[in-house]
Amino acid sequence: FFLQQRALGKVLHDAVCNHLNLVEGDYFGLEFPDHKKMMVWLDLLKPVVKQIRRPKHVVVKFVVKFFPPDHAQLQEELTRYLFALQVKQDLAQGRLTCNDTSTALLISHIVQSEIGDFDETIDREHLAKNKYIPQQEALEDKIMEFHRSHMGQTPAESDFQLLEIARRLEMYGIRLHPAKDREGTKINLAVANTGILVFQGHTKINAFNWAKVRKLSFKRKRFLIKLRPDVNSSFQDTLEFLMASRDFCKSFWKICVEHHAFFRLFEEPKPKPKPVLFSRGSSFRFSGRTQKQVLDYVKEGGHKKVQFERKHSKIHSIRSLTAQPSEQHTEVPKQVSDDGPWILRSPAVQSCRQGKELKASAEDTGQHKSPSLKKSPKEARKVDGAVVSTVEEEEEAAKDRMQQNRPQSQQPSTGSLTGSPHLSELSINSQGGPSVANMSLSPNLSPDAKQSSPLISPLLNDPTCIRTDDEEEVKRKRFPTEKAYFIAKEVATTERTYLKDLEVITSWFQSAVSKEDCMPETLKNLIFSNFEPLHKFHTGFLKEIEQRLALWEGRSNAHIKGDYQRIGDVMLKNIQSMKQLTIHLWKHNEILMELEDGIKNSRKLETFCRDFELQKVCYLPLNTFLLRPLHRLMHYKQIMERLCKHYPPSHIDFRDSRAALAEISEMVAQLHGNMIKMENFQKLHELKKDLIGIDNLVIPGREFIRLGSLSKLSGKGLQQRMFFLFNDILLYTSRGLTASNQFKVHGHLPLYGMTIEESEEEWGVPHCLTLRGQHQSIVVAASTRAEMDKWTEDVQMAIDLAEKSSGPAPELLASSPPDNKSPDETTVDQESEDDLSASRTSLERQSPHRGNTTVHVCWHRNTSVSMVDFSIAVENQLSGNLLRKFKNSNGWQKLWVVFTNFCMFFYKSHQDNHPLASLPLLGYSLTIPSESENIHKDYVFKLHFKSHVYYFRAESEYTFERWMEVIRSATSSAARTRALSHKEPHAY
């Protein structure tokens, strides 16, 4: 790198990160030997020439500097990949010590990421050529045994599993600094995210948490730790350690200062004012973003995504070659080698693979000019666990199509979607169904590589799909314009979606069940004998509605103006007939409970249902479809209420409409209590799939109240956690990035005897709350004041409910030990065979990919939803055609859109069996475009989230108002004037 004469260290560090397209470069540092041959970190605030006196003779290494407590905090795959390379080199150099089992398991994941699935011949050849540790031969059989169990695991997943195992090891991320205690005993000091550690040899004998440390200082060769007073501690106020020299002591002190600032502070510390006369002590301070700032920056999408390629990954190379070249981008992303940490410049190139250091030069970053390997620099990213692209990618692509009308948008892709434009932040199948987009993410998915990606279909990318304004005007003039017509049309559009939802059970699920011997005959009969009559009836109902609309629109020769311009008579007739089906609707509670019991008692049925949920057609959780018939009754009631409100009493259709409303209201009243219980039961089972570490979440009397993302204050600082509030208990969890995407339960607080209070002033954290239980207290912070108010209200309500119940909640039966730590307590995970065994078998036992559930959306967008919100969402479902436009595109595209579960699902037409893409709306803003946006069309609404902007256009004033109404219910939380009372905990 060529630098200006007085360039600061930060300039060189930034240049390296830019060269590698590394967004989370703050975790890394530049290391070099000083004039005394002692390895030191490059100071980012000092000129490089003052630190590296003879640059031609110095090797500067780019290595991991800050190891976070949980690698799930690393948002970018490239960052986790580089961390994996660091682990690989630490193993080779003997810095990361562990037992043989752990070593073999670590190496097996490295081998999986480099050569792919197990093949004994290839494995033996590879291990013979590549030495990951000294004396590797003794472990080769064990390495291959572990490698055999990683079948189907992608390089990204191998990196994650490698880090998951490594972080549990005592020496993970540890650099030992020799010292002596006051008695002259030889020890080693180290610093980690948790605080300062003391080792004897490679065994940790003590730890000083940051929360307990009051001051760090050094005086000549003496390193001093001043502790906060603690009556329970036997330590003296000040601890003293003797190091080899003043330079060694100052170097370690600097590292401690940087670790404390990076992991504990919210923002970079400000420089101290320069003294007027003389200075005392060191002026050194941490420079750069803190971990919190890095996490916020990446989450808010303030960076451009760039895809990287692994030169030595067999799997990745194959996928890269099958990806279609993108013609609208010419920039070639940099490649990163797989061979170990990174030398910026070196007098000699080392050839051995063991501990080989990666050259950050043009030849090693692999900037190939081959057009067959060109890919878009905009990388598909994983938002809420689902594959998405950046909004700029599609907007730029759409603009290119408008201006250049290039043919490549019609080319199918047979590989990765990262080189093709597709819907921004729109994910394929909310349950992560098998699709080309998920090919590189989950070993459980088996997409058909021959199938063209649905997200580059003519619907979403072909310019010929764009509608002209003339077409729209002709259509508007041809069809009726009165409000009653559009209300009738809403009946038809939503009925189409409802019928498709019934077919998920009666057709797709039944067909799959018939091919597998996994479900008892009694359960089969119970489900299908009660759903098939509903499907048959609603097929005829839809046909009758569509016939009436055809007459209304004048598309039939039998059209007689006036007689057919109504819908109340059709609704009354069919609602009366629907009453005969009530016997089947009453059975749905039994169906839901029997199916869940069957899944609980049969691993085969559990696996079958999990695999069925991965199919594209099952765009919602399976048990949600079992509730659809009851939800549909409420929709009929709402539609008839709107129709009766619109008609004057003298209207020809008023009497039939009012009679139909009375009939459907009676049915809803009869089934409403049953539906409320079923919704809570369904939600508990749905949450159970998202959680690991808890076995008896679903118990009689437990009711779900709220879930959402909060920051929990601990000895490690503020850490994002997912909280789940019930009427008797509060759970807090962390999220993993494995294929299962589940949340691990860290701890729980019974609500009986709990108090809640605001504590912003006490902790100095905005929107902060302290929850004091009988045995434990925790401090949490919300993202906004509004979020804090919601949690405060719901937690207080839950506490009141718990107080009025019979007593404390039963203890949760956790399948793994919960992490009940107070803010001042912290421990470093100890290596254990059980933990390693769990990591080994996690891919074998994992749940289906659950990347786009409401829980994950809340996690990613730092928000929350309550059971009240879910109940309102059930009432606010809508289907119909909309025209969509990006902010940088010129034309409009027609889509069939289904809105349900806080999410918009997009189809090419209403006849499609499964959605092509989805857009979760939690956190989005709903507005009307301003004059400056130059839309100049009627009935247009705008959806906006950070840099993501979409415009949607409805066909009439009524449909525009309806879309605004239902989407507003998802983009803003439910009104706090809830129906719930303390006496009626079920009355959501």
Side-chain angles (χ1 to χ4, degrees):
F1 293 91
F2 295 92
L3 305 176
Q4 296 294 325
Q5 184 71 21
R6 302 288 297 173
L8 301 181
K10 181 174 174 54
V11 175
L12 179 57
H13 184 272
D14 290 347
V16 176
C17 293
N18 292 335
H19 187 69
L20 296 173
N21 291 318
L22 181 61
V23 175
E24 297 171 298
D26 304 78
Y27 291 101
F28 302 83
L30 300 174
E31 189 182 47
F32 66 95
D34 66 2
H35 63 286
K36 295 183 180 179
K37 305 300 180 185
M38 183 177 73
M39 296 303 292
V40 295
W41 295 103
L42 187 73
D43 191 330
L44 302 187
L45 295 179
K46 288 185 178 179
V48 175
V49 292
K50 282 193 173 183
Q51 303 179 71
I52 305 177
R53 305 290 174 144
R54 304 175 66 192
K56 289 186 178 179
H57 303 280
V58 172
V59 175
V60 181
K61 298 181 181 179
F62 184 64
V63 293
V64 176
K65 186 175 185 178
F66 301 112
F67 290 80
D70 185 357
H71 53 282
Q73 294 173 336
L74 304 175
Q75 306 290 315
E76 299 282 300
E77 182 185 340
L78 172 58
T79 312
R80 293 192 294 275
Y81 167 70
L82 296 179
F83 266 72
L85 293 188
Q86 184 69 63
V87 170
K88 176 181 172 183
Q89 193 200 42
D90 288 351
L91 267 177
Q93 295 179 345
R95 188 179 283 168
L96 181 60
T97 57
C98 52
N99 60 38
D100 288 350
T101 302
S102 305
T103 302
L105 186 56
L106 289 167
I107 296 174
S108 70
H109 284 294
I110 296 172
V111 172
Q112 174 71 20
S113 71
E114 291 183 353
I115 66 173
D117 289 341
F118 175 79
D119 182 291
E120 186 169 355
T121 304
I122 297 174
D123 271 37
R124 291 201 182 278
E125 291 177 359
H126 184 77
L127 291 172
K129 294 177 183 176
N130 301 282
K131 299 299 178 184
Y132 297 102
I133 55 168
Q135 290 84 46
Q136 178 178 292
E137 294 77 9
L139 293 179
E140 284 189 0
D141 289 340
K142 189 173 281 190
I143 292 169
M144 289 194 292
E145 179 187 344
F146 285 140
H147 186 205
R148 190 193 304 269
S149 68
H150 304 329
M151 294 292 285
Q153 196 168 286
T154 66
E157 289 166 342
S158 297
D159 290 346
F160 189 90
Q161 294 295 332
L162 176 72
L163 296 177
E164 178 65 26
I165 299 159
R167 79 178 181 93
R168 301 173 185 272
L169 303 177
E170 196 163 72
M171 296 303 295
Y172 173 63
I174 295 299
R175 292 188 172 209
L176 299 177
H177 300 259
K180 294 180 180 179
D181 63 13
R182 279 185 171 175
E183 285 73 38
T185 305
K186 289 184 179 181
I187 57 167
N188 289 303
L189 296 180
V191 62
N193 57 79
T194 55
I196 298 171
L197 312 177
V198 183
F199 287 82
Q200 203 156 37
H202 285 82
T203 304
K204 190 183 71 173
I205 59 174
N206 217 332
F208 301 103
N209 186 357
W210 292 127
K212 298 176 182 176
V213 176
R214 185 165 61 89
K215 184 178 180 180
L216 295 174
S217 60
F218 70 96
K219 190 173 184 179
R220 297 185 179 90
K221 297 193 294 184
R222 289 182 297 147
F223 181 74
L224 306 172
I225 305 175
K226 288 189 178 182
L227 301 176
R228 298 185 188 277
D230 185 356
V231 293
N232 298 320
S233 174
S234 60
F235 290 118
Q236 54 214 359
D237 177 59
T238 303
L239 300 173
E240 185 177 308
F241 300 93
L242 193 67
M243 307 193 81
S245 68
R246 180 186 183 277
D247 289 341
F248 271 107
C249 196
K250 184 175 182 180
S251 175
F252 181 64
W253 172 79
K254 283 183 174 181
I255 297 168
C256 293
V257 169
E258 290 180 313
H259 271 74
H260 177 269
F262 183 76
F263 289 109
R264 296 280 289 179
L265 300 185
F266 291 136
E267 57 187 22
E268 178 183 353
K270 296 177 182 177
K272 297 177 181 178
K274 290 186 178 180
V276 178
L277 296 177
F278 60 90
S279 62
R280 183 179 179 184
S282 173
S283 62
F284 175 78
R285 66 180 176 87
F286 171 74
S287 172
R289 294 179 297 190
T290 64
Q291 187 191 28
K292 184 180 186 303
Q293 288 176 312
V294 175
L295 292 172
D296 292 345
Y297 175 76
V298 177
K299 280 189 178 181
E300 290 170 4
H303 63 287
K304 285 192 174 181
K305 290 271 186 167
V306 180
Q307 181 177 346
F308 79 99
E309 295 180 18
R310 305 161 188 250
K311 289 170 64 177
H312 299 291
S313 172
K314 178 180 176 183
I315 305 173
H316 195 88
S317 300
I318 293 171
R319 285 179 179 142
S320 299
L321 291 170
T322 58
Q324 292 291 322
S326 171
E327 297 182 16
Q328 61 222 44
H329 299 289
T330 56
E331 179 184 347
V332 181
K334 298 175 177 63
Q335 289 180 322
V336 182
S337 170
D338 238 1
D339 289 329
W342 319 263
I343 294 186
L344 301 182
R345 87 178 264 165
S346 172
V349 178
Q350 301 174 7
S351 59
C352 63
R353 283 186 63 94
Q354 178 184 345
K356 183 177 175 182
E357 295 172 320
L358 220 165
K359 312 299 179 287
S361 58
E363 64 174 1
D364 289 318
T365 49
Q367 300 192 36
H368 303 295
K369 305 285 185 191
S370 169
S372 65
L373 289 177
K374 286 185 180 179
K375 299 186 77 173
S376 166
K378 316 269 187 192
E379 178 196 13
R381 63 192 178 97
K382 201 175 180 188
V383 169
D384 313 333
V387 176
V388 298
S389 70
T390 58
V391 68
E392 293 87 356
E393 180 180 348
E394 184 167 349
E395 290 168 352
E396 289 170 12
K399 191 171 183 179
D400 289 342
R401 290 195 298 274
M402 293 303 96
Q403 295 173 351
Q404 301 167 19
N405 198 16
R406 291 183 178 179
Q408 81 272 9
S409 60
Q410 299 173 16
Q411 296 175 355
S413 168
T414 56
S416 170
L417 283 175
T418 56
S420 304
H422 52 282
L423 273 181
S424 156
E425 216 174 292
L426 306 181
S427 57
I428 305 172
N429 188 349
S430 71
Q431 296 302 307
S435 64
V436 179
N438 280 323
M439 177 182 290
S440 61
L441 286 179
S442 174
N444 291 338
L445 312 183
S446 54
D448 182 2
K450 299 178 182 179
Q451 177 186 359
S452 166
S453 163
L455 290 184
I456 52 170
S457 68
L459 160 68
L460 302 177
N461 294 282
D462 193 342
T464 59
C465 278
I466 302 214
R467 305 181 64 84
T468 65
D469 296 326
D470 291 341
E471 289 178 45
E472 287 303 305
E473 289 305 316
V474 169
K475 180 182 175 183
R476 288 183 191 221
K477 291 177 181 178
R478 189 169 70 233
F479 291 116
T481 57
E482 61 264 37
K483 184 175 180 178
Y485 164 76
F486 290 108
I487 293 176
K489 193 169 182 181
E490 182 184 335
V491 178
T493 56
T494 53
E495 191 72 11
R496 287 170 185 161
T497 299
Y498 174 53
L499 202 58
K500 286 289 183 184
D501 287 349
L502 288 178
E503 287 172 3
V504 171
I505 301 296
T506 61
S507 179
W508 298 91
F509 188 59
Q510 186 172 15
S511 174
V513 167
S514 65
K515 297 173 185 175
E516 300 282 343
D517 183 24
C518 62
M519 184 181 288
E521 285 299 322
T522 53
L523 182 56
K524 283 185 193 177
N525 294 334
L526 179 64
I527 296 175
F528 302 122
S529 65
N530 284 288
F531 267 84
E532 286 173 346
L534 296 176
H535 180 264
K536 182 178 179 181
F537 171 80
H538 285 279
T539 301
F541 183 24
L542 176 60
K543 186 176 181 181
E544 198 169 338
I545 294 171
E546 289 179 332
Q547 288 173 345
R548 175 57 58 89
L549 282 174
L551 296 172
W552 201 329
E553 294 164 358
R555 289 184 280 131
S556 168
N557 294 331
H559 172 65
I560 304 173
K561 186 174 176 63
D563 288 353
Y564 295 104
Q565 292 186 349
R566 54 181 176 150
I567 194 67
D569 57 332
V570 177
M571 295 299 294
L572 177 60
K573 172 193 166 188
N574 283 279
I575 288 173
Q576 288 173 337
S577 301
M578 214 179 292
K579 278 193 162 186
Q580 300 172 16
L581 299 173
T582 306
I583 186 173
H584 299 295
L585 299 176
W586 278 110
K587 287 282 188 180
H588 286 197
N589 189 13
E590 183 183 350
I591 292 171
L592 186 61
M593 296 182 75
E594 289 295 327
L595 179 60
E596 293 297 345
D597 283 345
I599 290 172
K600 182 179 178 180
N601 298 324
S602 168
R603 178 62 64 88
K604 191 173 182 181
L605 181 58
E606 179 188 9
T607 303
F608 169 78
C609 292
R610 180 191 67 196
D611 292 343
F612 181 78
E613 281 193 330
L614 292 177
Q615 295 189 27
K616 294 180 186 179
V617 71
C618 192
Y619 67 102
L620 297 171
L622 176 61
N623 54 18
T624 302
F625 291 101
L626 300 178
L627 295 177
R628 278 295 192 246
L630 296 179
H631 294 162
R632 187 59 180 155
L633 296 182
M634 289 199 307
H635 301 157
Y636 293 141
K637 180 174 179 282
Q638 291 172 334
I639 288 171
M640 297 315 300
E641 285 172 345
R642 281 194 293 274
L643 194 61
C644 290
K645 188 176 180 180
H646 167 66
Y647 282 145
S650 58
H651 195 280
I652 187 175
D653 202 25
F654 179 76
R655 179 175 293 182
D656 286 342
S657 298
R658 190 169 61 175
L661 175 59
E663 297 276 4
I664 195 66
S665 297
E666 183 184 346
M667 289 182 68
V668 169
Q670 290 174 353
L671 293 162
H672 185 69
N674 197 38
M675 183 183 71
I676 294 301
K677 292 177 183 177
M678 287 177 65
E679 283 180 355
N680 182 69
F681 183 80
Q682 183 267 336
K683 186 54 61 183
L684 290 176
H685 277 281
E686 188 57 29
L687 293 177
K688 184 180 173 184
K689 296 177 187 176
D690 281 311
L691 297 174
I692 53 174
I694 178 171
D695 288 337
N696 64 337
L697 181 68
V698 184
I699 60 173
R702 175 165 291 158
E703 297 171 24
F704 164 70
I705 295 177
R706 178 173 289 276
L707 64 85
S709 172
L710 294 170
S711 296
K712 178 178 176 287
L713 186 63
S714 69
K716 303 172 185 177
L718 279 176
Q719 294 183 302
Q720 187 180 6
R721 294 285 180 258
M722 199 70 186
F723 282 74
F724 298 84
L725 176 65
F726 303 92
N727 63 338
D728 60 340
I729 204 159
L730 177 67
L731 302 179
Y732 56 92
T733 66
S734 66
R735 179 199 185 205
L737 293 178
T738 58
S740 64
N741 267 315
Q742 292 168 291
F743 288 82
K744 179 183 178 181
V745 175
H746 278 257
H748 61 272
L749 281 80
L751 298 181
Y752 187 81
M754 180 187 284
T755 60
I756 180 171
E757 59 187 52
E758 293 187 25
S759 51
E760 291 187 20
E761 294 183 3
E762 180 182 354
W763 296 100
V765 178
H767 321 306
C768 184
L769 297 169
T770 298
L771 304 173
R772 302 187 189 281
Q774 291 183 332
H775 306 292
Q776 178 192 1
S777 297
I778 63 172
V779 180
V780 298
S783 57
T784 63
R785 180 77 196 185
E787 276 294 303
M788 185 185 82
D789 290 342
K790 293 176 198 170
W791 278 104
T792 302
E793 183 178 346
D794 280 348
V795 171
Q796 188 58 59
M797 178 201 68
I799 291 172
D800 294 343
L801 289 173
E803 293 291 336
K804 294 184 179 183
S805 67
S806 56
E811 284 297 310
L812 292 169
L813 298 176
S815 56
S816 63
D819 175 26
N820 289 324
K821 298 177 185 174
S822 66
D824 287 340
E825 292 176 348
T826 185
T827 58
V828 179
D829 289 339
Q830 301 294 320
E831 175 187 0
S832 74
E833 293 300 322
D834 290 342
D835 287 342
L836 297 173
S837 174
S839 298
R840 270 201 302 277
T841 58
S842 61
L843 282 176
E844 299 165 18
R845 301 194 311 256
Q846 64 197 9
S847 300
H849 176 81
R850 303 183 56 77
N852 201 24
T853 63
T854 305
V855 178
H856 288 83
V857 177
C858 287
W859 171 269
H860 180 73
R861 295 183 182 161
N862 216 7
T863 187
S864 67
V865 291
S866 67
M867 192 63 196
V868 177
D869 297 323
F870 280 109
S871 297
I872 291 174
V874 164
E875 298 172 8
N876 288 278
Q877 299 181 16
L878 195 60
S879 310
N881 287 310
L882 286 174
L883 300 177
R884 186 209 62 187
K885 176 187 178 300
F886 296 112
K887 62 181 177 183
N888 291 333
S889 62
N890 296 324
W892 297 81
Q893 289 179 305
K894 185 178 180 181
L895 303 169
W896 175 259
V897 183
V898 173
F899 176 78
T900 184
N901 282 35
F902 309 105
C903 193
M904 296 177 84
F905 295 92
F906 300 91
Y907 300 73
K908 185 175 180 180
S909 76
H910 68 84
Q911 296 167 329
D912 290 354
N913 291 320
H914 58 81
L916 300 176
S918 64
L919 177 63
L921 294 187
L922 286 173
Y924 267 77
S925 298
L926 175 67
T927 57
I928 297 173
S930 62
E931 286 292 328
S932 60
E933 293 173 88
N934 297 319
I935 297 298
H936 306 307
K937 299 293 178 188
D938 294 331
Y939 316 132
V940 175
F941 59 89
K942 171 185 173 182
L943 284 170
H944 176 256
F945 177 74
K946 295 180 180 175
S947 59
H948 308 279
V949 178
Y950 306 96
Y951 301 100
F952 291 94
R953 188 172 160 200
E955 62 179 342
S956 69
E957 182 179 1
Y958 172 79
T959 50
F960 167 76
E961 290 174 352
R962 284 288 295 134
W963 280 107
M964 291 283 285
E965 179 185 349
V966 298
I967 291 175
R968 191 177 288 116
S969 71
T971 55
S972 59
S973 282
R976 307 311 296 161
T977 53
R978 62 180 75 232
L980 179 65
S981 70
H982 296 172
K983 293 181 181 178
E984 296 177 302
H986 285 290
Y988 286 103

